[in-house]
Amino acid sequence: MKNSRIRFAGEEAVPPNTAFRLALLILAALSLAFTTFSDQPVLFARPAGWPKPSYDFSRNPQTAAGFRLGRMLFYDPALSRDGSISCASCHSPQSAFTHSDHRVSHGIEGRQGERNAPALVNLAWNTSFHWDGGVNNLEIQAVNPVTHPNEMDFTMDEMVDRLNASRAYRGRFFRAFADSAITGQRVLKALAQFTVSLQSYNAKYDKYLRHEAGGEMSEPELNGLRLFRQHCASCHQEPLFTNNTFANNGLLPDTLLRDRGRYRITAQPDDDYKFRVPTLRNIEFSAPYMHDGRFRYLRQTIQHYTSGTIVPSPTLAPQLRQPVTLSTAEQRDIMLFLFTLTDKEFLDDARFRYQPE
Amino acid sequence: MFGAEKLALETKAYPTSQNGPVTIATFRFYLSALRLTYTDGSTYTEPNSFHLIDAEIDASQAFTLSTAPTKPLRSISFCVGVDSLTNTSGAHGGDLEPGRGMYWAWHSGYINAKLEGRSPACANPRKAFEFHIGGFQAPYRSLRPVTLVVPFGAGASLVIRADAARWLGQLKLADNSSVLVPGAAAMRVADGYAGMFSIGAGDEE
């Protein structure tokens, strides 16, 4: 077991990228031999050719102990007032770190939230967080779920007191921060060390671009990619499949929740009903779709763009003012292409799963 | 402070000319970027200078500048609020912990100052007012710089008076008793807190 330990970037003098990919390979072998256990850290690595991340790692240097602590916190319901809900309750690894089967997420005592939990993936590149972009930094994001009455309904101070009462946590905070005092800042930094490492860049699509084994695309998939680049990529920009902006993609406003998206943050009429362009990576597994989870099936999202249901409004995106007309076969090809964004190595990576500590 | 007296929270109704008898429930603000200017022209800038001053917590109302030279002072300057870099650079500790009730989670940003209480002038059934003032993005930056001239001959212990009465004096509660988001209204209220400071004598406390 000791010998098969995976080294992480920074331990040896190879570019981080090579080290990271190497790590995944070894893991595959490892998980055959020991199916249940893997305590290896995953540290951030910037894939070749990807833009510079927005997250400032210098303010929160990643360590193996920090990653493990963050993972432990992520899966720990002690972060909620009544000890019933963890981050993973709404961001489950089985469904690309979203809340599967829930249009809008549920918090403690079954209280219903107002929005669909987004997939947690490639967060280092997000320039803002939440569907309305109201949150400006990954570290600070977690204050929201912890303190939101419909989510974990706790206070930061009470959460910190609860964790401070645990010897196991004090030991882990010591290992991560060289100090066993648990503070809100450290809880947030540790969580971010875990969530920022949820990186997905080994889908078939990525392998296709890198000319690697496993990257052979079929004719329909390639046609889907071509159509996608023509009709969708202006917003769902490669390689992140989001351009980090806000857009009104013509959904009929929900009369019940009256969610006006970005407008809620800026109070600018120009931002009415605009939402953050979501990534489409692992979209096959992150149903339901859209900010309010209105679509259960991926084909419905494609039909939204192609079957004349786009709702005109003053803030509707200019690209969508002319109807996108695609034949049934073309729609199918786009869908097949979207499936090539599924990254099994990421989704099945045991290091992101709950580990009995 | 409230006028000439030390502020008592909740228990006391203070008469005011504009807003009737006012009871204060919360009076809290960030004091940051503290800088001392000496009579010889030199300056001292406090490193990592963020202090959450809370009328409810006596200990928050005094701090020591242990590395500052003790020489005669000419002026003292600071900001009320938290600068924009700190607002955008993730989780901070100490007085900047986001659990201090001075942070907006859903719309990231520090609340620079809070003033809450009751007055019959308020046009709402609870007769309550609430000002949570923040905002670090142009054009609604509510950070306010303050410079106070130190009277000649002041000693090494200095008292800065923060007078809730002066702040309230700038507000007309009958017209507006609640500002809870960044914006133009918050900017006007912020101008009020910029003007509430003065320097007291060293023995006053």
Side-chain angles (χ1 to χ4, degrees), chain A residues 3-7 19 21-31:
Chain A
N3 303 346
S4 47
R5 239 173 209 265
I6 294 164
R7 293 208 183 82
R21 236 177 288 141
L22 183 77
L24 286 173
L25 283 174
I26 303 172
L27 181 80
L30 219 175
S31 53

Side-chain angles (χ1 to χ4, degrees), chain A residues 59 130 132 134-137 139-140 143-144 147 156-157 183-186 188-189 264-265, chain B residues 85 87-94 97-100 103 105-110 136 140:
Chain A
R59 287 178 177 271
H130 286 191
D132 55 21
V135 173
N136 66 24
N137 190 294
E139 293 167 20
I140 222 68
V143 180
N144 286 273
T147 59
M156 290 296 290
D157 285 351
T183 64
Q185 179 189 29
R186 289 184 182 146
L188 296 171
K189 293 221 179 241
R264 187 172 161 224
I265 300 300
Chain B
L85 176 65
N87 265 291
T88 52
S89 52
H92 300 282
E97 282 271 346
R100 297 273 183 274
Y103 195 80
W106 62 279
H107 184 183
S108 304
Y110 283 94
F136 60 91
Y140 299 129

Side-chain angles (χ1 to χ4, degrees), chain A residues 181-251:
Chain A
I182 302 177
T183 64
Q185 179 189 29
R186 289 184 182 146
V187 172
L188 296 171
K189 293 221 179 241
L191 276 169
Q193 287 201 27
F194 175 67
T195 52
V196 82
S197 61
L198 297 170
Q199 282 186 273
S200 172
Y201 53 87
N202 286 310
K204 187 185 205 177
Y205 155 85
D206 299 294
K207 295 181 179 174
Y208 165 75
L209 292 186
R210 296 195 299 249
H211 309 288
E212 278 173 15
E216 299 78 14
M217 294 251 242
S218 68
E219 255 328 299
E221 286 168 347
L222 284 170
N223 191 44
L225 172 58
R226 196 182 53 77
L227 292 164
F228 182 87
R229 285 182 171 156
Q230 187 181 344
H231 297 290
C232 319
S234 61
C235 294
H236 300 287
Q237 192 183 321
E238 300 167 65
L240 294 155
F241 291 87
T242 169
N243 59 2
N244 274 312
T245 64
F246 303 87
N248 175 347
N249 69 342
L251 294 170

Side-chain angles (χ1 to χ4, degrees), chain B:
Chain B
M1 304 288 301
F2 198 97
E5 308 174 38
K6 184 163 162 57
L7 174 66
L9 290 177
E10 298 285 6
T11 50
K12 192 162 175 184
Y14 296 96
T16 65
S17 53
Q18 178 152 241
N19 297 309
V22 170
T23 312
I24 308 277
T26 309
F27 180 43
R28 221 189 257 171
F29 59 90
Y30 276 109
L31 186 157
S32 67
L34 187 72
R35 196 176 144 100
L36 306 178
T37 305
Y38 296 97
T39 49
D40 63 8
S42 64
T43 59
Y44 165 82
T45 308
E46 187 190 17
N48 196 19
S49 174
F50 295 99
H51 303 274
L52 177 55
I53 314 289
D54 187 343
E56 201 177 336
I57 302 172
D58 284 341
S60 78
Q61 296 162 28
F63 50 90
T64 311
L65 303 172
S66 49
T67 55
T70 42
K71 295 188 284 189
L73 282 173
R74 176 183 297 154
S75 65
I76 172 164
S77 64
F78 53 86
C79 289
V80 186
V82 176
D83 63 286
S84 58
L85 176 65
T86 307
N87 265 291
T88 52
S89 52
H92 300 282
D95 278 0
L96 292 171
E97 282 271 346
R100 297 273 183 274
M102 294 294 277
Y103 195 80
W104 282 307
W106 62 279
H107 184 183
S108 304
Y110 283 94
I111 299 173
N112 291 334
K114 265 190 186 180
L115 182 64
E116 298 173 341
R118 284 176 306 283
S119 147
C122 299
N124 61 50
R126 284 173 45 244
K127 300 287 165 205
F129 60 87
E130 272 181 306
F131 298 99
H132 296 182
I133 306 304
F136 60 91
Q137 275 160 318
Y140 299 129
R141 290 186 198 185
S142 62
L143 186 79
R144 289 290 180 276
V146 175
T147 299
L148 302 171
V149 175
V150 177
F152 180 75
S157 166
L158 210 65
V159 173
I160 301 174
R161 301 155 46 116
D163 187 349
R166 281 212 213 169
W167 184 5
L168 262 173
Q170 304 290 314
L171 307 170
K172 208 152 182 280
L173 297 176
D175 297 343
N176 192 355
S177 55
S178 166
V179 176
L180 301 172
V181 290
M187 291 293 279
R188 282 191 297 277
V189 181
D191 294 339
Y193 58 58
M196 70 178 173
F197 296 95
S198 60
I199 291 206
D203 51 5
E204 191 182 334
E205 219 146 323

Side-chain angles (χ1 to χ4, degrees), chain A residues 77-302:
Chain A
L79 268 57
S80 64
R81 178 170 57 74
D82 63 0
S84 67
I85 300 263
S86 72
C87 307
S89 307
C90 296
H91 302 283
S92 138
Q94 280 84 358
S95 51
F97 295 91
T98 66
H99 205 176
S100 53
D101 278 345
H102 283 94
R103 293 185 51 196
V104 292
S105 52
H106 289 224
I108 79 166
E109 296 165 0
R111 292 183 204 167
Q112 227 179 50
E114 291 179 353
R115 287 183 181 156
N116 181 11
L120 303 186
V121 64
N122 298 335
L123 294 167
W125 286 273
N126 271 38
T127 51
S128 66
F129 300 84
H130 286 191
W131 286 100
D132 55 21
V135 173
N136 66 24
N137 190 294
L138 178 61
E139 293 167 20
I140 222 68
Q141 188 282 332
V143 180
N144 286 273
V146 171
T147 59
H148 198 293
N150 292 339
E151 297 184 9
M152 299 164 117
D153 193 25
F154 216 14
T155 67
M156 290 296 290
D157 285 351
E158 287 169 299
M159 179 196 65
V160 165
D161 287 348
R162 186 181 284 172
L163 296 177
N164 262 316
S166 149
R167 259 190 65 187
Y169 266 120
R170 286 202 307 274
R172 284 173 175 277
F173 274 85
F174 182 79
R175 263 166 275 159
F177 298 105
D179 184 346
S180 65
I182 302 177
T183 64
Q185 179 189 29
R186 289 184 182 146
V187 172
L188 296 171
K189 293 221 179 241
L191 276 169
Q193 287 201 27
F194 175 67
T195 52
V196 82
S197 61
L198 297 170
Q199 282 186 273
S200 172
Y201 53 87
N202 286 310
K204 187 185 205 177
Y205 155 85
D206 299 294
K207 295 181 179 174
Y208 165 75
L209 292 186
R210 296 195 299 249
H211 309 288
E212 278 173 15
E216 299 78 14
M217 294 251 242
S218 68
E219 255 328 299
E221 286 168 347
L222 284 170
N223 191 44
L225 172 58
R226 196 182 53 77
L227 292 164
F228 182 87
R229 285 182 171 156
Q230 187 181 344
H231 297 290
C232 319
S234 61
C235 294
H236 300 287
Q237 192 183 321
E238 300 167 65
L240 294 155
F241 291 87
T242 169
N243 59 2
N244 274 312
T245 64
F246 303 87
N248 175 347
N249 69 342
L251 294 170
L252 185 69
D254 181 313
T255 49
L256 196 72
L257 296 168
R258 294 174 186 282
D259 193 337
R260 292 167 71 175
R262 185 71 180 151
Y263 176 84
R264 187 172 161 224
I265 300 300
T266 64
Q268 297 297 311
D270 274 359
D271 286 333
D272 224 358
Y273 300 107
K274 289 189 181 172
F275 291 85
R276 224 185 88 83
V277 175
T279 179
L280 302 180
R281 287 186 170 269
N282 302 301
I283 194 79
E284 181 182 359
F285 289 98
S286 62
Y289 304 107
M290 304 296 172
H291 69 270
D292 53 5
R294 66 178 66 191
F295 298 135
R296 276 185 71 184
Y297 303 105
L298 192 53
R299 67 178 148 72
Q300 295 173 295
T301 66
I302 298 170

